[in-house]
Amino acid sequence: MGSEKLHGICQYLRNLLEYRRNDRRALSIICSWLWEHGEGVGLEVRDDDLFNRLSAYPAAVEKREVTRELFLVTRDNVLSLLHIGIGHEGNDEAINTERIRILADTLRLDQKDMEIFTIFYRYETNDAFESLVDELYKNFSHSADLVAALSGLDRQEVAERLSYQGGLLEKGLLKSASNNGRYLSSCYKIPRSVRVGLQNVHLNHGKLKSLLVGKCQTGNLAWDDYEHLGKTRDYLSVFVERGVRNNEAGVNILLWGAPGTGKTEFCKTLAAHLGFELYSVGEKDEDGFEPTRDERLQALQLAQNLMRGQDQVLLLFDEIDDLLMPGKPGSLLEPQVISKVFMNRLFEENPVPTIWTLNNIDLLDESILRRMSVVVEFEKPPGKSSTKILSRLLDRHGVDLRQDSFTMAVSTDVTPAVLHNAVRFAKISEMGHEALTFALDGLSRAMGTDRSKEWRGKGSFNAALVNADMDLDDLAEKLAEKRIRAFSLCLYGPPGTGKSEYARWLAWKLEMEPQVVRGSDLLGPFVGETEKAIADVFRKAQRRGSFLILDEVDSLLSSRREARQSWEVSQVNEMLTWMERHPFPFVCTTNLKEALDSAAMRRFTFKCRFDYLKPGQVELAFRHFFGMPLGSEWGGKLTCLTPGDFAVVRKKEELLGRCGDIDKYIKWLSSEVENKNETVGSRVGFKLC
């Protein structure tokens, strides 16, 4: 250690000797330290008697041979020696003092907080001073006692300033440690980012903020890419803009939803739209590693105070899920962390508007939720928005796609983040649409999305291949012409007859986004879960204005007369309630109309039966799927066939190779019918007359 610490350390030691005027043990520690480090701090002990006394006094203390006279003489000599050091301040010490003053000015620290912080900073950056303090700490009952002795401040005031209510912890300059240890560092530590920032050679106010908060975040999407949020987008924009303009405290916005739904990107786009700077805090430490939960919270507290009073600034605290895990260190759900004062400062008194993002809303405790200014759920954007987002991504990365690949990509039920990754894969691999299709297929499968079932377009439904008891084309045309939205359909009949395909096609005709949900996906193992899932899916359709399709609704609308458990009745009642008041189109498909509750059937605006193909339709389907005529003599002999049966046989042909043999096609179709194991009227299986 050089002379840069001479002035400050000498003052600390004088304060300590004044604070503990009769502490023989403390004087012994100081003598030993000066004997070992005196010359290193510029205190040259020229008096041989004094030099000998510095070594002799500690030995006398150990032997318990210290007289009153020896104590007073040694104490006076040490105070005189320290007085010489107080009058000298090295250049390096002046530089460090100025850096700490920059920090104090930026964070509005008063003189006493700055003095306390300086002790900890010197303690953590100087090995010799650290050894002195740690040795002294063993002689004190509490860290506040030692800091008060070194600083010359009142002990009670020091204790208050080192508490959670004090400015040093509240501003994130100190973090409380375990309090279990023999060293001062076991009680308090300076966050590494603060310590490293103060050691920057060219430190100034602007540089300090950049080091401690990070770089301003920039986005990749435009404001129009989020038009699917509707009024929500505009409400948030106005709220944030006026909150900043009026210097409102406690502005907190929670955006929650599944990973990859665009929460973080929206924050960046919102800031850019308002002309604000956005800083994401607590993402990584100064070494580029993932910070701990405590470090993330300290980074937020520090950023709040660094940006206090600045115009056009927003803070982003991304993915707070890890702070909400109960039982883990640093969790906001721990009683010792979630004190009323702590919560108030974090969510009610924060000077800079903060946007929080969360993946799992179930982790959020009500005590935190009610402190949020506004809460917004993020979902996967509808197809129209996906079209704009994908177009922008392709332009930015310079990737060209065929129209069919583009249609497939925007029809895939994946998030914007997945689209971005797929486009980036196509760019790097330089294989265009094939690479994008490959990447989307792998990503969507891993995320549980069946891409083949989500890719539906104009040409995926052929009314000529459907045997329904009403004119489906005419129904679609009239609904589209009159722009009717409050209606419902029950499509029933054997599997594979085209019920789900028609529902999707009708949504396309009405220019609405289909929201397809399987009935089995809504069933929960515990009482009340199914009812909640039913309510959630209808609410989602209302928020998005989507065309709701409930596939295989049998399990949700079973006849209450056959119910054996109360929950079987309650889930049907929940469905009936939502069916009555839902303001947008919804379609239910079922293979078992007879099992549905009679009250449910009365609530459907339209009921339509889908049956097996007629003889003429069988001939048409044969030509459509296999590209060859069947012959009228066969049309009446092939019964119980559906478009789904033809699709399965064509898939079989694709796997086994081109067949081109009518007899083999008929054999395969016969096998499909026989494997249905069902009776239709007097017809059993598949008949060849």
PDB file of all heavy atoms in Angstrom, residues 14 43 90 351 578 601 611 615 647 682:
ATOM      1  N   ARG A  14      -6.904   7.877  14.481  1.00  0.00           N
ATOM      2  CA  ARG A  14      -7.063   8.893  15.529  1.00  0.00           C
ATOM      3  C   ARG A  14      -8.486   8.879  16.073  1.00  0.00           C
ATOM      4  O   ARG A  14      -8.708   8.976  17.276  1.00  0.00           O
ATOM      5  CB  ARG A  14      -6.718  10.281  14.985  1.00  0.00           C
ATOM      6  CG  ARG A  14      -5.231  10.591  14.926  1.00  0.00           C
ATOM      7  CD  ARG A  14      -4.986  12.037  14.558  1.00  0.00           C
ATOM      8  NE  ARG A  14      -5.541  12.936  15.559  1.00  0.00           N
ATOM      9  CZ  ARG A  14      -4.869  13.371  16.644  1.00  0.00           C
ATOM     10  NH1 ARG A  14      -3.625  12.965  16.862  1.00  0.00           N
ATOM     11  NH2 ARG A  14      -5.433  14.215  17.492  1.00  0.00           N
ATOM     12  N   LEU A  43       4.597   6.826   6.977  1.00  0.00           N
ATOM     13  CA  LEU A  43       4.865   7.207   8.369  1.00  0.00           C
ATOM     14  C   LEU A  43       6.224   6.617   8.765  1.00  0.00           C
ATOM     15  O   LEU A  43       6.320   5.467   9.202  1.00  0.00           O
ATOM     16  CB  LEU A  43       3.761   6.691   9.294  1.00  0.00           C
ATOM     17  CG  LEU A  43       2.422   7.414   9.231  1.00  0.00           C
ATOM     18  CD1 LEU A  43       1.407   6.716  10.104  1.00  0.00           C
ATOM     19  CD2 LEU A  43       2.571   8.870   9.666  1.00  0.00           C
ATOM     20  N   GLY A  90      -1.800  12.308  -0.384  1.00  0.00           N
ATOM     21  CA  GLY A  90      -1.135  11.997  -1.633  1.00  0.00           C
ATOM     22  C   GLY A  90      -2.024  12.264  -2.828  1.00  0.00           C
ATOM     23  O   GLY A  90      -3.242  12.400  -2.729  1.00  0.00           O
ATOM     24  N   PRO A 351     -38.478   6.282  -8.356  1.00  0.00           N
ATOM     25  CA  PRO A 351     -38.559   7.560  -9.072  1.00  0.00           C
ATOM     26  C   PRO A 351     -38.583   7.414 -10.588  1.00  0.00           C
ATOM     27  O   PRO A 351     -39.018   8.334 -11.291  1.00  0.00           O
ATOM     28  CB  PRO A 351     -37.288   8.284  -8.614  1.00  0.00           C
ATOM     29  CG  PRO A 351     -36.328   7.192  -8.275  1.00  0.00           C
ATOM     30  CD  PRO A 351     -37.160   6.072  -7.723  1.00  0.00           C
ATOM     31  N   TRP A 578     -70.787 -19.208 -20.877  1.00  0.00           N
ATOM     32  CA  TRP A 578     -69.952 -18.484 -21.839  1.00  0.00           C
ATOM     33  C   TRP A 578     -70.543 -18.529 -23.246  1.00  0.00           C
ATOM     34  O   TRP A 578     -70.408 -17.559 -24.013  1.00  0.00           O
ATOM     35  CB  TRP A 578     -68.539 -19.057 -21.837  1.00  0.00           C
ATOM     36  CG  TRP A 578     -67.730 -18.568 -20.680  1.00  0.00           C
ATOM     37  CD1 TRP A 578     -67.445 -19.218 -19.529  1.00  0.00           C
ATOM     38  CD2 TRP A 578     -67.113 -17.283 -20.565  1.00  0.00           C
ATOM     39  NE1 TRP A 578     -66.695 -18.446 -18.691  1.00  0.00           N
ATOM     40  CE2 TRP A 578     -66.475 -17.237 -19.307  1.00  0.00           C
ATOM     41  CE3 TRP A 578     -67.042 -16.164 -21.396  1.00  0.00           C
ATOM     42  CZ2 TRP A 578     -65.773 -16.120 -18.871  1.00  0.00           C
ATOM     43  CZ3 TRP A 578     -66.340 -15.048 -20.961  1.00  0.00           C
ATOM     44  CH2 TRP A 578     -65.717 -15.031 -19.715  1.00  0.00           C
ATOM     45  N   MET A 601     -77.285 -27.858 -27.135  1.00  0.00           N
ATOM     46  CA  MET A 601     -77.732 -27.852 -28.526  1.00  0.00           C
ATOM     47  C   MET A 601     -78.655 -26.683 -28.805  1.00  0.00           C
ATOM     48  O   MET A 601     -78.628 -26.097 -29.893  1.00  0.00           O
ATOM     49  CB  MET A 601     -78.424 -29.175 -28.862  1.00  0.00           C
ATOM     50  CG  MET A 601     -77.503 -30.391 -28.802  1.00  0.00           C
ATOM     51  SD  MET A 601     -76.064 -30.215 -29.881  1.00  0.00           S
ATOM     52  CE  MET A 601     -76.845 -30.094 -31.489  1.00  0.00           C
ATOM     53  N   ASP A 611     -71.659 -35.852 -43.020  1.00  0.00           N
ATOM     54  CA  ASP A 611     -71.836 -37.299 -43.172  1.00  0.00           C
ATOM     55  C   ASP A 611     -70.783 -37.860 -44.117  1.00  0.00           C
ATOM     56  O   ASP A 611     -69.949 -37.138 -44.663  1.00  0.00           O
ATOM     57  CB  ASP A 611     -73.244 -37.593 -43.698  1.00  0.00           C
ATOM     58  CG  ASP A 611     -73.776 -38.930 -43.206  1.00  0.00           C
ATOM     59  OD1 ASP A 611     -72.937 -39.781 -42.829  1.00  0.00           O
ATOM     60  OD2 ASP A 611     -75.003 -39.120 -43.206  1.00  0.00           O
ATOM     61  N   PRO A 615     -71.928 -41.163 -53.372  1.00  0.00           N
ATOM     62  CA  PRO A 615     -71.234 -41.851 -54.477  1.00  0.00           C
ATOM     63  C   PRO A 615     -70.527 -40.890 -55.435  1.00  0.00           C
ATOM     64  O   PRO A 615     -69.376 -41.131 -55.808  1.00  0.00           O
ATOM     65  CB  PRO A 615     -72.366 -42.618 -55.169  1.00  0.00           C
ATOM     66  CG  PRO A 615     -73.339 -42.907 -54.071  1.00  0.00           C
ATOM     67  CD  PRO A 615     -73.309 -41.691 -53.186  1.00  0.00           C
ATOM     68  N   ALA A 647     -57.199 -38.852 -47.449  1.00  0.00           N
ATOM     69  CA  ALA A 647     -55.955 -38.196 -47.075  1.00  0.00           C
ATOM     70  C   ALA A 647     -54.965 -39.175 -46.464  1.00  0.00           C
ATOM     71  O   ALA A 647     -53.757 -39.109 -46.720  1.00  0.00           O
ATOM     72  CB  ALA A 647     -56.248 -37.057 -46.093  1.00  0.00           C
ATOM     73  N   SER A 682     -77.529 -49.584 -41.228  1.00  0.00           N
ATOM     74  CA  SER A 682     -77.455 -51.027 -41.448  1.00  0.00           C
ATOM     75  C   SER A 682     -76.149 -51.438 -42.081  1.00  0.00           C
ATOM     76  O   SER A 682     -75.919 -52.595 -42.335  1.00  0.00           O
ATOM     77  CB  SER A 682     -78.623 -51.460 -42.367  1.00  0.00           C
ATOM     78  OG  SER A 682     -78.510 -50.798 -43.611  1.00  0.00           O
TER      79      SER A 682
END
